[in-house]
Amino acid sequence: MTDAHSEFVDRAGGIAVHGLGLSVDVYSPDLLVLEELLRRHRVPVQYYEIFQAALPALETVRERLHDRCLAYHGEGLWVSQPDFCPEAEQGSPLSEACKQLRALESRWLNIECATKQIAGRSFGTYLPPLYTVDGAVVAGENAGVLQQALDRGFSAAGECPPLLLLEMSPLTYFGCGSLPVPAFFTELVRYASCGLVLDIGHLWTVYRYTGAWRVQSVERFIAEFLDGFPLERVVEIHVAGLAEHPAEAGERGPDGGCGALPRWLDAHGAPIPELLFDMLDQVLSHPRLTALKGVALEVDTKEPSLIMSEFVRFHQRFSTLFARRSAEAQPLSRLSQTSRRAPAEHCSVSQTRRQTLVRDYEMYGRVATGQAESNRLPERVGTISDVEGLDRYRQVYLPHEILHWGGDLNDMFPRTCEMAKERAVALHDFVAFWFDRPRVALKTYDFFLLKIEYFLEFIAFVLPDALATAQREAEELRAGYEAANRRAGFQEITA
């Protein structure tokens, strides 16, 4: 029997060093226009990691960027959830991910170790896992099952299977669990041969929303975090912007005073604080970072001119350090290719523990949405890291997410919202309606389509006279969305 880490070393050894790159969305900004701008100014981007998009768009990217190394960031595979079961039938998240991996010729599948769906309740942005021993064990086992599914699908076609990477998620004002984040991932990788993605901005949110900032400097926090984190599994590092939520920019918490840190959140369209580059420097200097293949700035929704200036600064500061780090790691990779091993056997988590975790996640979802108080969490789960942050998440962040993020309701349903206003129906009530009960999850997660579906239910309940109008607007939205997904969606680039 081979241990999971040895299997990881074998898998990672076959992946070439990608270098310094950008993690991007194909549409925002238009990737082909961005690429042309970067080439024109000789900005030395070595690879792109591309977020899930319509398949024709990814095929166009591969064709047009034939000389680029491309990687893939997937969506909808919630390995943190105890009911996770990767299905390969047509239209499933796994099936779609495999098509997109092949289209890009990506050597890895990066997914968040987080979820947007908990016990029948859907969210627009990621909620981190429950940081508990059982949460780590189940996520690790699920990651192992997903890697095996990738192996079967690609090997059957005579192709090299991509390596699964799990990305440490950000905290949005709070975290939950009895296990420190580094210990969670150390436990997780005992059960899977996956690699990891360490996001520097996410790391800052752990510093901010676990309360560590109150008792130690960021440098000391990072040193202790890295000492406990399985850095030898890190294949990629991300760096993105940080920004305060639009609804509360410039505020400070009740702790107040000059010592209070800003309530920054992960924000890909925002500028990257110099602090994050200082943190990256500390991470890249760690001796256990032996499997690193790439470092990417996450820049979806960011202005191209800002992308260009930040990448130039990033490249000037880190190209030499990255080259030295990757050169030091190569002997391990070359050695691993001379001794390919059979896949590791993974232990099975008891069904009883999974069922207990199902109940824990159900309560976690209720607490996060304000349907239960945090003291209802079982003792085995631990506590909320920042209770004031939890209140902020429920009262500020979630309403904005449901009403405005991923499609503003007033823009999506202008006539229906006007009718609601005339009848004194408060759109804010839609937030409570969204989370008031579990719903059967769609096979493929799509927040935009969920918003359409749930809003129709809401109007049917609170304002049935407006339902026909809402249905007409919904059909227009769905038709436009489907048409956009059928097209590659890129602007024409002129010489």
Side-chain angles (χ1 to χ4, degrees):
M1 173 172 159
T2 300
D3 67 90
H5 183 66
S6 296
E7 184 183 330
F8 162 77
V9 170
D10 284 348
R11 292 178 184 274
I15 299 176
V17 172
H18 284 40
L20 303 183
L22 295 173
S23 182
V24 297
D25 179 84
V26 295
Y27 302 127
S28 180
D30 185 307
L31 177 55
L32 298 183
V33 173
L34 175 63
E35 164 71 4
E36 181 66 18
L37 179 67
L38 296 171
R39 283 184 185 272
R40 193 181 309 138
H41 289 84
R42 294 183 172 84
V43 179
V45 174
Q46 294 175 286
Y47 80 102
Y48 291 112
E49 181 179 77
I50 299 175
F51 194 75
Q52 174 183 296
L55 187 61
L58 300 186
E59 292 171 340
T60 299
V61 167
R62 179 71 279 175
E63 178 185 354
R64 298 286 288 273
L65 306 185
H66 55 85
D67 60 341
R68 287 287 190 187
C69 187
L70 303 179
Y72 178 61
H73 193 315
E75 171 84 324
L77 294 160
W78 318 129
V79 296
S80 66
Q81 296 305 288
D83 58 354
F84 174 75
C85 181
E87 299 172 347
E89 76 267 15
Q90 186 72 17
S92 70
L94 176 58
S95 170
E96 294 306 302
C98 288
K99 291 177 184 177
Q100 302 203 359
L101 285 159
R102 289 187 170 99
L104 294 175
E105 300 173 356
S106 174
R107 292 306 315 280
W108 67 63
L109 165 60
N110 173 22
I111 59 174
E112 301 274 346
C113 187
T115 186
K116 295 180 181 178
Q117 293 184 304
I118 295 178
R121 291 176 172 86
S122 297
F123 302 79
T125 53
Y126 293 108
L127 273 175
L130 283 173
Y131 287 115
T132 65
V133 171
D134 278 0
V137 172
V138 167
E141 184 181 63
N142 288 344
V145 170
L146 178 54
Q147 182 67 70
Q148 291 167 10
L150 291 169
D151 290 351
R152 288 193 298 271
F154 280 78
S155 297
E159 302 166 319
C160 181
L163 174 64
L164 175 64
L165 306 183
L166 299 184
E167 181 169 352
M168 185 185 83
S169 70
L171 299 187
T172 303
Y173 297 131
F174 76 99
C176 184
S178 56
L179 201 62
V181 174
F184 175 91
F185 283 97
T186 296
E187 183 70 13
L188 185 157
V189 298
R190 292 177 56 211
Y191 298 88
S193 60
C194 65
L196 300 176
V197 177
L198 180 60
D199 187 297
I200 304 300
H202 297 182
L203 180 57
W204 187 91
T205 67
V206 173
Y207 176 63
R208 176 62 174 88
Y209 299 116
T210 59
W213 69 277
R214 297 178 184 274
V215 297
Q216 58 187 164
S217 68
V218 67
E219 294 83 6
R220 184 61 195 161
F221 164 78
I222 292 170
E224 292 184 3
F225 185 98
L226 298 181
D227 283 347
F229 192 81
L231 277 178
E232 60 281 351
R233 290 292 189 98
V234 172
V235 172
E236 187 183 29
I237 294 173
H238 281 174
V239 189
L242 294 172
E244 294 174 317
H245 192 274
E248 59 173 15
E251 290 186 17
R252 290 294 182 269
D255 46 292
C258 297
L261 293 182
R263 294 194 188 93
W264 282 339
L265 301 176
D266 185 47
H268 295 180
I272 299 172
E274 193 65 29
L275 168 65
L276 296 193
F277 283 153
D278 292 340
M279 294 169 64
L280 174 61
D281 202 324
Q282 189 173 351
V283 172
L284 286 176
S285 300
H286 201 286
R288 283 196 295 110
L289 197 65
T290 54
L292 185 65
K293 305 295 182 179
V295 184
L297 304 186
E298 288 190 284
V299 297
D300 46 296
T301 73
K302 186 171 287 189
E303 287 296 322
S305 59
L306 181 56
I307 293 172
M308 192 164 59
S309 64
E310 287 187 331
F311 189 87
V312 168
R313 190 168 103 246
F314 164 63
H315 185 271
Q316 289 173 344
R317 180 166 177 178
F318 294 107
S319 58
T320 300
L321 179 56
F322 176 83
R324 185 168 68 246
R325 169 58 65 205
S326 58
E328 291 170 352
Q330 288 318 292
L332 177 64
S333 299
R334 288 194 294 268
L335 176 62
S336 72
Q337 294 195 63
T338 66
S339 56
R340 305 298 292 181
R341 297 176 172 88
E345 299 174 24
H346 301 293
C347 301
S348 178
V349 179
S350 73
Q351 193 61 28
T352 299
R353 289 172 70 180
R354 276 189 178 263
Q355 288 304 314
T356 298
L357 194 60
V358 167
R359 294 192 295 272
D360 291 345
Y361 266 106
E362 195 276 335
M363 181 55 68
Y364 176 41
R366 292 185 63 207
V367 167
T369 56
Q371 297 177 310
E373 293 307 312
S374 59
N375 60 13
R376 294 284 304 278
L377 289 166
E379 186 175 347
R380 64 179 172 271
V381 170
T383 59
I384 296 294
S385 63
D386 187 329
V387 175
E388 187 268 336
L390 171 63
D391 289 340
R392 188 166 299 276
Y393 177 83
R394 297 192 294 198
Q395 296 166 14
V396 176
Y397 190 89
L398 270 188
H400 185 274
E401 183 170 277
I402 301 304
L403 300 176
H404 306 291
W405 190 86
D408 189 294
L409 284 179
N410 284 290
D411 295 334
M412 294 171 67
F413 295 91
R415 178 56 188 149
T416 305
C417 290
E418 185 179 323
M419 294 173 70
K421 184 177 181 180
E422 291 170 354
R423 305 288 185 84
V425 173
L427 288 185
H428 197 277
D429 292 343
F430 181 48
V431 180
F433 180 87
W434 182 290
F435 293 112
D436 70 345
R437 59 187 169 85
R439 291 174 170 84
V440 176
L442 300 178
K443 178 184 291 186
T444 301
Y445 170 86
D446 190 308
F447 189 69
F448 183 74
L449 295 180
L450 283 175
K451 185 174 281 195
I452 294 173
E453 179 182 334
Y454 290 5
F455 190 69
L456 289 178
E457 290 181 24
F458 174 69
I459 292 300
F461 180 70
V462 301
L463 194 60
D465 289 350
L467 182 58
T469 299
Q471 288 173 332
R472 284 194 296 272
E473 292 181 315
E475 284 307 307
E476 292 173 3
L477 288 166
R478 291 185 182 119
Y481 190 59
E482 183 180 352
N485 281 331
R486 283 199 303 267
R487 299 190 301 268
F490 296 109
Q491 301 174 22
E492 287 298 318
I493 301 176
T494 57

